[in-house]
Amino acid sequence: MTSESLAPFVARHIGPGDDDLDHMLETIGASSLDDLIARAVPQTIAQQRPLALDAAPSEAAVLAELREKASRNAVLTSMIGLGYYGTHTPGVIKRNILENPAWYTAYTPYQPEISQGRLEALLNFQTVVTDLTGLATAGSSLLDEATAVAEAMTLMRRVSKAPKDAVLLVDAKVMPQSIAVTQTRATPLGLDVIVADLRGVDSPEALVEAAGGRSVFGVVVQYPAADGQIVAWKKLADAAHEHGALITAATDLLALTLLASPGSWGADVAVGSSQRFGVPMGFGGPHAGFMAVRSGLERNMPGRLVGVSVDADGNQAYRLALQTREQHIRREKATSNICTAQVLLAVMASMYAVYHGPQGLKAIAERVHETARRLATALPKAGLEVEHDTFFDTLAVRAEGRAQSLVDSALEHGVNVWKADDDTVYVSVDETTSEDELDALGAAWGFRAREAAENTAWPKEIERTEEYLTHPVFNSHHSETAMLRYLRRLADRDYALDRGMIPLGSCTMKLNATTEMEAVTWPEFAHLHPFAPANQNEGIRELIADLEGWLCEITGYDDISLQPNAGSQGEFAGLLAIHAYHEANGEGHRNICLIPASAHGTNAASAVMAGLKVVVVKTAASGEVDLDDFKAKLKEHGENLAAIMITYPSTHGVFEDTITEICSLVHEAGGQVYVDGANLNAMVGLAQPGKFGGDVSHLNLHKTFCIPHGGGGPGVGPVAVREHLAPHLPNHPLFAEAGPATGVGPISAAPFGSASILPISWAYVRLMGGEGLTKATQMAVVNANYVAKRLREAYPVLYAGSDGLVAHECILDLRPLTKESGITVDDVAKRLIDYGFHAPTMSFPVAGTLMVEPTESESLEELDRFVDAMLAIRAEIQDVIDGKVAADESALRHAPHTAESLTSDWEHPYERRDAVYPGSTDPRSKYWAPVRRIDGAYGDRNLICSCPAPEAYED
């Protein structure tokens, strides 16, 4: 494979050139690229034929192909509703967040000192949610509304003292996709979900009666309901609490600017989607779901929580709070398996609220409600009955036996409405609904839409009286100039790939090319409703089919579902498929899941969610799976073995040569092999998990296939399977084409998950072709081994293969240095900020280490800059060891250094210049951390998770 034979884009994607490669191979000690790969990748798994994927001739050609597919989507007026609405994305937000690499190429803010911009934006998001829901604490986003409802179910079960056989009671007018996803989640946990009409429930006795005489641990209602009705749920909430149950309101943030908050009438939890706050429908996603809880429930929340703390100088600073709740720490005892959330979309939604402010949001809501009221006034004049008097934006229109006719006539006039049953259609309006669109519906159904609405009012008990969004941030940036500058200030505080390398192990922070991103905002993709008729979305579904086929070719699997909207959800879907397969074969008793100790935390949490019992397999001293312990566990649990979940290459950064033996032994015992695809970037074109023993894998399109991480989401976690598991892939009740009829149910709210970002991965594969993808993998291995070789003498590489080589990442062992000097992995990570770098992954999978993954996209110059920084830091550690400076007085311990710190009294034994321009740091391109080292313990002891008033910092 020569550079001349590769597609032109490959050289744009891969950092090192041919001359660089020769130098790097010489440094590593490999005679050629083929020699290196042959030594690193076990021959037992090596791919036998090249990938049969053609590359496009140019970036322009790829955009032309995408345009052709987009042209075959029909963007009609959507009045379907059901949780997805038209919205105007303010241009200043679209250009400066959604299309800005300073925002979309950032990673999850695990290094808070260099993430203050997006942490502030997420704190704004949490404040929007808490203010509007009237609850104490909100998370920084969930995957979508339906999974938020399912997470609320498990939260209520965890904290409820109801009997073990108590049920979840769900109102019949909760969004149908939310009910379906919740049922998918409930089944493996042994939780019964009862769907009933709860509108008349006003006592504990009536609650139990609705539940079929059973105890209830939780109740879920929609507010406003799927059919548009606004129900005063206070009596139900009181009845639930008297019975000992909790109650969750699935709600609409825009409606809550006019409606009494769920907290005001007794909701314990509120969930929903922030989609209509400036985020396009996108054929279903991605969108930022949300969850808020009453005081006392915050430690049981799933997902991430941004809190306020202080830095080393006592200045306000933000960080992820209560991280001990998270799956990577608590593993099978975690509150959820969620890893990726929807940060980029939450940032957009928060800025929509900042830009419009409380008065602007209320004005939008009033205009939407007025439009709905006008329709409600006009429809009866055409002989159509509006079922409910209290509504916000959605009308249930009744016409006995004529529902399909109404749908068809509206469609003829370019309007999509929703058929609820043979007698009823739902009509929803939103901020984009125009007079011409109302006229079109009027022409279809025989009414005049431009008449004034009748003067009707909601009952006082559902009208909002509480203030919201009173913090200055929501009342200061309403001109575009002010908003533009606010967004720039926040972006300047953060470190993203547009500044430099982010060498996070197991995260694959590679190039997100601009051409790949181009189609995301095209209206033909962005403005599709996920439940629109199938003949209106043929273009995007062809794109999805292309991508499915390509991913099967790459992985060696037979079928795939792109519905899971995070890697954790792909894991869950894969494990459900395994369980369903065993049940179909009469072996439903198989419930043991073997998981190596080094596995991702999501693995164990996902297994528990899928109803499996986790048995941990030890790690050998070499970093590989301990074969003796594995065989002992296999012998002990063989008859009940459901699966093994194994990451490959291992989380220790090595191609383990025992993988085929492990797969064979699991299959002999009747189990299935789940190969975690987190490290697929080391295998594309070199090895196929579906061929060397895997039965199922999830992939991470936000790692290997270039969807940007967005500061912590969005992500896509497709689940790929061998043929025997294909009948058990996810499906969807509202879109038959989304999966097999025999499937396990929906994993995500939308039939195709986060469909609007799939063109990114489609474009990446099309631009690279099979040869380019293989070269990218080879270069990822080269870059990792180059870094490992250059740093090996300064920092021991903890694990390597039999030939001393690593895969696509390496673990640097700082523990001996820490023991000798007192300098910790945290000190090194923070000092790297002064050198202009984001730290590698800290203390995972081994405490006291750094895991480095440079990816194929980083140039030799950038790799050398990182290596030089690490060597300079090693020299600083040596000064501590040699007694030249005490650890507590060193630049390492006081890092990162801010510009402000230079102007204060300087009491350190090192020079100011050495603090902020260490090594070969270029003063002209210096990144300045906006805060000093943050006190995490302070933030957890003094939990503040919404925009704080100045008084919060008074002593």
Side-chain angles (χ1 to χ4, degrees), residues 160-365:
S160 172
K161 296 180 181 178
K164 287 187 177 181
D165 62 350
V167 303
L168 178 73
L169 194 54
V170 180
D171 184 68
K173 296 304 180 182
V174 168
M175 297 294 179
Q177 66 271 25
S178 295
I179 294 175
V181 169
T182 301
Q183 290 169 329
T184 301
R185 287 279 194 96
T187 300
L189 297 176
L191 300 177
D192 289 338
V193 177
I194 295 179
V195 180
D197 185 353
L198 305 183
R199 300 182 194 211
V201 174
D202 58 2
S203 69
E205 294 76 19
L207 186 80
V208 172
E209 182 180 355
R214 299 176 65 180
S215 293
V216 178
F217 70 80
V219 178
V220 181
V221 297
Q222 194 83 37
Y223 178 71
D227 65 356
Q229 186 181 18
I230 301 169
V231 178
W233 292 114
K234 186 176 189 320
K235 290 182 178 179
L236 174 63
D238 290 344
H241 292 152
E242 188 176 346
H243 177 72
L246 286 80
I247 184 166
T248 293
T251 192
D252 181 311
L253 294 178
L254 190 64
L256 291 182
T257 63
L258 305 179
L259 277 175
S261 72
S264 71
W265 50 255
D268 301 288
V269 183
V271 296
S273 170
S274 59
Q275 179 266 314
R276 68 190 313 172
F277 273 28
V279 182
M281 290 185 286
F283 201 43
H287 309 128
F290 65 82
M291 176 183 285
V293 298
R294 62 166 167 79
S295 181
L297 297 180
E298 57 276 357
R299 292 178 185 272
N300 288 280
M301 291 179 68
R304 298 194 171 116
L305 184 65
V306 175
V308 181
S309 189
V310 294
D311 74 357
D313 292 334
N315 296 318
Q316 176 182 303
Y318 310 114
R319 60 180 285 275
L320 294 178
L322 302 180
Q323 291 191 62
T324 53
R325 302 169 304 114
E326 292 196 23
Q327 40 70 33
H328 65 286
I329 295 174
R330 298 202 70 206
R331 296 172 65 87
E332 68 269 18
K333 296 180 181 179
T335 55
S336 169
N337 74 335
I338 288 176
C339 183
T340 300
Q342 302 285 20
V343 166
L344 187 67
L345 300 315
V347 169
M348 289 180 65
S350 77
M351 293 307 168
Y352 181 91
V354 168
Y355 194 43
H356 287 296
Q359 291 80 21
L361 292 177
K362 184 177 180 182
I364 293 169

Side-chain angles (χ1 to χ4, degrees), residues 598-666:
S598 64
H600 284 251
T602 51
N603 287 176
S606 296
V608 171
M609 282 176 52
L612 301 176
K613 180 181 178 181
V614 173
V615 174
V616 177
V617 179
K618 294 177 183 178
T619 300
S622 62
E624 299 181 339
V625 172
D626 186 324
L627 271 183
D628 290 338
D629 188 58
F630 164 71
K631 291 176 181 178
K633 298 286 172 60
L634 198 62
K635 183 177 180 180
E636 179 182 357
H637 300 288
E639 291 184 0
N640 295 312
L641 179 67
I644 186 171
M645 296 186 80
I646 188 165
T647 303
Y648 199 80
S650 77
T651 311
H652 292 148
V654 177
F655 287 102
E656 299 184 25
D657 56 13
T658 57
I659 183 65
T660 52
E661 180 183 0
I662 289 172
C663 292
S664 295
L665 290 172
V666 169

Side-chain angles (χ1 to χ4, degrees), residues 38 215 483 584 590 596 598 649 845 868:
S215 293
M483 188 66 182
R590 290 185 174 272
S598 64
D868 291 345

Side-chain angles (χ1 to χ4, degrees), residues 67 87-104 277-280 344-345 347-349 351-352 355-356 480 483-484 487 517-524 526-527:
R67 282 290 183 194
T87 182
H88 294 303
T89 307
V92 67
I93 292 174
K94 176 184 173 184
R95 175 62 60 86
N96 295 288
I97 297 177
L98 181 58
E99 297 177 341
N100 183 352
W103 289 95
Y104 67 70
F277 273 28
V279 182
L344 187 67
L345 300 315
V347 169
M348 289 180 65
M351 293 307 168
Y352 181 91
Y355 194 43
H356 287 296
E480 183 163 335
M483 188 66 182
L484 178 68
L487 293 176
M517 300 292 295
E518 188 85 11
V520 169
T521 56
W522 292 354
E524 297 91 342
H527 296 164

Side-chain angles (χ1 to χ4, degrees), residues 713-737:
V716 178
V719 54
V721 296
R722 295 290 305 277
E723 184 178 12
H724 62 282
L725 295 180
H728 309 296
L729 285 171
N731 55 16
H732 201 283
L734 304 183
F735 209 102
E737 293 83 351

